[in-house]
Amino acid sequence: MNKYDETGQKILVAVGGKDNVDEAFHCVSRIRFYLKNINLINKQALQQISEVYEFTYEDGQLQVLLGSDVSEYYKSLMRIINADKDLEKVKKGDIRMSKSTDKDKQLAKQIVELVGGKDNVNSLIHCVTRLRFKLKDESKADDEAIKNLHGVMGVAHAGGQYQVIIGNNVTDIYDQVMPILGLSTEKEVTQDDEKEGNIFSRLVALISSLFMPLLGIMTGAGMLKGLLVLFGVLGWVKQGTGTYMILNAAADSLFYFLPVLLGFTAGKTFHINPFVGAVTGGALVYPSMVAAATAHKAITFLGVPVNLMNYSQTMLPIVIAIWGMSWLEKGTKKIIPSAVKNLFVPLLDLMIVVPLAYIIIGPVMQTLSQWLSVASLWIYGVFPALAGFIIGGIWQGAVILGLHWAFIPVLMNNLMTNHFDPINGIMYCTLFGQVGACLAMGLKAKDKNFKEIALPAALSGLFGITEPIIYGVTLPHKKAFAMASIGSAFGGMIAAICHAGMYTMPGGGIFGIPAFINPKGINMQFYGFIASLIIAFVLSFVLTMIFGDVVVPSASKIKNQIKKAEFKDQEISAPLEGTVVELKDVDDPVFSAGTIGKGVAIKPTNNEVRAPFDGTVVSVFPTKHAIGLKSENGVELLIHLGINTVNLKGKYFESKVKDGQNIKKGDLLETFDVEQIKKAGYNTVVPIVVTNSNNFDDILVEKKNGDQVKFGDQLIMATVDQVAQENNVAIANA
């Protein structure tokens, strides 16, 4: 048995055994338990486990802090809990129990509602950490409410997109949002939504839609190309060998066939058949045409001379060609009968656009591409130190605003045209500047919860994922972001002075470094590039240690960490007249299994619902079939009028109160037509459930099955054992 298994076994014993675990999952440093009986927690045993840094119990959850090896401890726990299951693929997120999935669904539902509902969503994609919505009206999105959702790190309006920053589990949330929008994860809404906003916003949105689907695989392929260069410099793999040829094919195929892939994404962006776009891109890199261009062969098309060139690894010609094709289709679809559109529209697209691409579009765009590259390199060459300082200093701010997309075509064009780009050589150090500032903030912090965010975020930044740093650490503490920008400015200046640049698309963070090695060998440019990373990191770290804020627990955070004795014994009277029914006998698995909470049900004999205690109306459901109340002593009570009566959409119900209204025991809350509901085919039994049962030591039902009750009769007693409450305080402070 290894140390993880030993510790896992000790933890399970301390939480009351595996049969007491309702659910367990983990985040970046903690295992979080939902337990069936919290009284079985052995606090002393947990304190004696040396691998456990601390533990707390709050929001119905026991949180055990284990640090960076949490996933290993989690695997061991899962092996013990699920000894009869195949857990070879266990890793974070692979085993998800119902409550984890339910939380994702709930968060997804809240996000969709708060961005203005599904009817306000034109399309949705996601990247490594963000949901990227295109909304019809961004003003309908409630920024503050979304930021306050548990599981959301922040929001951003950038590049024509409404971005919700989720973090590493963004894919899980995306998979829950798409069905709510009525889409599968393989489909996208293709409404014409790029017509909103100013020209710059539309341009940035266009560029992002072209390149976003390719960035992940482009980064991976770029990493492989960089590693091949490194392996070649070290003498591990020689050019011309079978090993090199196969790996080079894997790494270079994306770039060689870039017109095919961009043809596909451009087809989606310009709302034509993306496969026609891909075929058009394929026509530009067709082997016989590439061979003719390489051999400088002169050809004509219908007597018109064609200036052949190699379109592999090009970008602009295919994008312009597909844009032109979208305009052609607007005309052809009007004149071609619907019955044969699927045949003749692609036929005309290919017959007209591919020749035009070879004769006009390609040569013109290739010339413009060369001019763009020359211009950007000229600007960079006039005063490289100043250019490096400015670009390095502003780059992460540009990323936040989504303005970085405007640079993507320039740096990619430089790479494809000259096989070298200095812009990315300058701005790459800004990632390490953010890591340095983040690490300093984490080390300085006195708040354990902030450390839990900052230190793992710094690690993720080294692998190229900066959103947790920016939105969770440096941006909320503006001095840290400023110090990171200053450090990055000096790093960028060094990179520019040394003429550092990339020779292939880089990977993320430290994995992207090989992309900046000259294929001819390591030289001063690469040493200058490494120096820029070190300077950006060290200077940002030191400046933040000196000038950055020291994050301490706020009074509200300390207050929330301690479970106060805010719940008291509460008598709950019968809110309506009728016959008592045990909750387990209610014909609804959610209520009968006690999923929502403990309580009882009443088969009503009258049409009135009255307040069972003094308190507040928390919620009157829009369909009026249920009422949520909160007593002065902390009881949260759900009165659910009938089973599946939500389908009546408010018919036969009449509410007498509204959300937030104070009530006194006996006040009339609602009337409902019992007989009409019965005639409509619905069960009229009324579950009365304490939804926060876990905050009380016992929920005692005072009436037996079949008893008759009237308004005011004592029905339920929620009790709190003060001694047990003190134990909870101790657990929270542990």
Side-chain angles (χ1 to χ4, degrees), residues 125 179 213 225 257 273 275 348 380 401 440 447 458 490 498 537 620 635 707 718 729:
I125 57 175
K225 284 177 72 73
F257 295 106
N273 186 331
F275 293 101
L348 292 175
Y380 161 77
L401 297 174
D447 185 349
F490 282 97
C498 296
F537 174 85
V620 177
V635 166
D707 285 352
V729 175

Short mmCIF file of all heavy atoms in Angstrom, two decimals, residues 125 179 213 225 257 273 275 348 380 401 440 447 458 490 498 537 620 635 707 718 729:
data_model
loop_
_atom_site.label_atom_id
_atom_site.label_comp_id
_atom_site.label_asym_id
_atom_site.label_seq_id
_atom_site.Cartn_x
_atom_site.Cartn_y
_atom_site.Cartn_z
N ILE A 125 -18.95 29.13 -28.38
CA ILE A 125 -17.79 28.24 -28.47
C ILE A 125 -17.05 28.37 -27.14
O ILE A 125 -17.40 29.19 -26.30
CB ILE A 125 -16.85 28.60 -29.65
CG1 ILE A 125 -16.38 30.06 -29.52
CG2 ILE A 125 -17.53 28.36 -30.97
CD1 ILE A 125 -15.35 30.45 -30.57
N PRO A 179 -27.04 21.90 -24.49
CA PRO A 179 -28.42 21.38 -24.56
C PRO A 179 -29.47 22.42 -24.14
O PRO A 179 -30.58 22.41 -24.67
CB PRO A 179 -28.40 20.20 -23.56
CG PRO A 179 -26.97 19.80 -23.47
CD PRO A 179 -26.20 21.07 -23.60
N PRO A 213 -11.10 28.06 -33.68
CA PRO A 213 -11.22 26.59 -33.72
C PRO A 213 -9.89 25.89 -33.98
O PRO A 213 -9.75 24.70 -33.70
CB PRO A 213 -12.20 26.35 -34.88
CG PRO A 213 -12.94 27.64 -35.04
CD PRO A 213 -11.95 28.70 -34.70
N LYS A 225 6.76 20.88 -33.73
CA LYS A 225 7.78 21.44 -34.63
C LYS A 225 8.95 22.00 -33.83
O LYS A 225 10.12 21.81 -34.18
CB LYS A 225 7.17 22.54 -35.51
CG LYS A 225 6.30 22.02 -36.65
CD LYS A 225 5.66 23.13 -37.43
CE LYS A 225 6.66 23.89 -38.29
NZ LYS A 225 7.10 23.11 -39.46
N PHE A 257 -1.26 22.40 -45.03
CA PHE A 257 -2.63 22.39 -45.52
C PHE A 257 -3.50 23.45 -44.85
O PHE A 257 -4.73 23.29 -44.78
CB PHE A 257 -3.25 21.00 -45.32
CG PHE A 257 -2.59 19.92 -46.12
CD1 PHE A 257 -1.75 18.99 -45.52
CD2 PHE A 257 -2.77 19.84 -47.50
CE1 PHE A 257 -1.15 17.99 -46.26
CE2 PHE A 257 -2.16 18.85 -48.24
CZ PHE A 257 -1.34 17.92 -47.64
N ASN A 273 -21.41 26.35 -47.02
CA ASN A 273 -21.06 24.98 -46.68
C ASN A 273 -19.56 24.90 -46.38
O ASN A 273 -18.73 25.12 -47.27
CB ASN A 273 -21.41 24.06 -47.86
CG ASN A 273 -21.22 22.59 -47.52
OD1 ASN A 273 -20.40 22.23 -46.70
ND2 ASN A 273 -21.98 21.74 -48.19
N PHE A 275 -17.60 22.49 -46.01
CA PHE A 275 -16.87 21.48 -46.77
C PHE A 275 -16.52 21.99 -48.17
O PHE A 275 -15.49 21.63 -48.73
CB PHE A 275 -17.69 20.19 -46.85
CG PHE A 275 -17.83 19.52 -45.51
CD1 PHE A 275 -18.99 19.65 -44.77
CD2 PHE A 275 -16.78 18.78 -44.97
CE1 PHE A 275 -19.13 19.05 -43.53
CE2 PHE A 275 -16.90 18.18 -43.74
CZ PHE A 275 -18.08 18.31 -43.00
N LEU A 348 -21.19 25.60 -59.09
CA LEU A 348 -20.85 26.96 -59.52
C LEU A 348 -19.80 27.58 -58.61
O LEU A 348 -18.92 28.33 -59.08
CB LEU A 348 -22.12 27.82 -59.55
CG LEU A 348 -23.14 27.45 -60.63
CD1 LEU A 348 -24.40 28.28 -60.49
CD2 LEU A 348 -22.53 27.64 -62.03
N TYR A 380 9.05 47.62 -36.76
CA TYR A 380 9.81 46.99 -35.68
C TYR A 380 11.30 47.34 -35.78
O TYR A 380 11.98 47.55 -34.77
CB TYR A 380 9.60 45.48 -35.76
CG TYR A 380 10.62 44.64 -35.04
CD1 TYR A 380 10.58 44.49 -33.65
CD2 TYR A 380 11.61 43.97 -35.75
CE1 TYR A 380 11.52 43.70 -33.00
CE2 TYR A 380 12.54 43.17 -35.11
CZ TYR A 380 12.50 43.04 -33.73
OH TYR A 380 13.42 42.26 -33.09
N LEU A 401 -8.86 42.99 -23.32
CA LEU A 401 -9.83 43.71 -24.14
C LEU A 401 -10.14 42.98 -25.45
O LEU A 401 -11.01 43.41 -26.21
CB LEU A 401 -9.29 45.12 -24.47
CG LEU A 401 -9.09 46.04 -23.25
CD1 LEU A 401 -8.42 47.33 -23.69
CD2 LEU A 401 -10.42 46.33 -22.56
N ALA A 440 4.31 36.04 -6.45
CA ALA A 440 4.58 36.97 -5.35
C ALA A 440 3.33 37.23 -4.53
O ALA A 440 3.38 37.26 -3.29
CB ALA A 440 5.13 38.29 -5.92
N ASP A 447 -4.18 35.31 3.51
CA ASP A 447 -5.47 34.64 3.35
C ASP A 447 -5.23 33.27 2.72
O ASP A 447 -4.78 33.15 1.58
CB ASP A 447 -6.38 35.49 2.46
CG ASP A 447 -7.79 34.92 2.33
OD1 ASP A 447 -8.00 33.77 2.76
OD2 ASP A 447 -8.67 35.62 1.80
N ALA A 458 -0.35 30.24 -10.61
CA ALA A 458 1.01 30.49 -11.11
C ALA A 458 1.54 29.27 -11.84
O ALA A 458 2.19 29.38 -12.88
CB ALA A 458 1.92 30.86 -9.94
N PHE A 490 10.03 45.56 -19.79
CA PHE A 490 11.49 45.44 -19.86
C PHE A 490 11.89 44.12 -20.52
O PHE A 490 12.87 44.06 -21.27
CB PHE A 490 12.10 45.57 -18.47
CG PHE A 490 12.17 46.99 -17.98
CD1 PHE A 490 11.19 47.51 -17.15
CD2 PHE A 490 13.22 47.82 -18.37
CE1 PHE A 490 11.24 48.82 -16.71
CE2 PHE A 490 13.28 49.13 -17.93
CZ PHE A 490 12.30 49.65 -17.11
N CYS A 498 17.52 41.96 -28.89
CA CYS A 498 18.23 40.75 -29.33
C CYS A 498 17.62 40.14 -30.59
O CYS A 498 18.07 39.08 -31.04
CB CYS A 498 18.23 39.72 -28.20
SG CYS A 498 19.15 40.24 -26.73
N PHE A 537 9.91 37.71 -15.57
CA PHE A 537 9.48 36.97 -14.37
C PHE A 537 10.08 37.58 -13.10
O PHE A 537 9.35 37.89 -12.15
CB PHE A 537 9.91 35.51 -14.50
CG PHE A 537 9.64 34.69 -13.27
CD1 PHE A 537 8.40 34.12 -13.06
CD2 PHE A 537 10.62 34.51 -12.31
CE1 PHE A 537 8.13 33.38 -11.92
CE2 PHE A 537 10.38 33.76 -11.16
CZ PHE A 537 9.13 33.20 -10.97
N VAL A 620 -42.10 33.06 -4.34
CA VAL A 620 -43.35 32.52 -4.88
C VAL A 620 -43.05 32.13 -6.32
O VAL A 620 -42.71 32.98 -7.14
CB VAL A 620 -44.49 33.56 -4.84
CG1 VAL A 620 -45.75 32.98 -5.47
CG2 VAL A 620 -44.76 34.01 -3.42
N VAL A 635 -35.39 28.33 9.74
CA VAL A 635 -35.97 27.24 8.95
C VAL A 635 -36.33 27.73 7.55
O VAL A 635 -36.98 28.77 7.39
CB VAL A 635 -37.23 26.67 9.63
CG1 VAL A 635 -38.01 25.78 8.66
CG2 VAL A 635 -36.85 25.86 10.86
N ASP A 707 -53.51 11.19 10.42
CA ASP A 707 -54.07 12.17 11.35
C ASP A 707 -54.71 13.33 10.58
O ASP A 707 -54.24 13.72 9.50
CB ASP A 707 -52.98 12.73 12.27
CG ASP A 707 -52.56 11.75 13.35
OD1 ASP A 707 -53.22 10.70 13.46
OD2 ASP A 707 -51.56 12.03 14.06
N ALA A 718 -38.38 21.61 14.28
CA ALA A 718 -36.96 21.60 13.89
C ALA A 718 -36.15 21.95 15.13
O ALA A 718 -36.36 23.00 15.74
CB ALA A 718 -36.70 22.61 12.78
N VAL A 729 -18.83 24.41 15.31
CA VAL A 729 -17.97 25.60 15.32
C VAL A 729 -16.52 25.17 15.38
O VAL A 729 -15.66 25.71 14.69
CB VAL A 729 -18.33 26.50 16.53
CG1 VAL A 729 -17.34 27.66 16.61
CG2 VAL A 729 -19.75 27.02 16.40
#
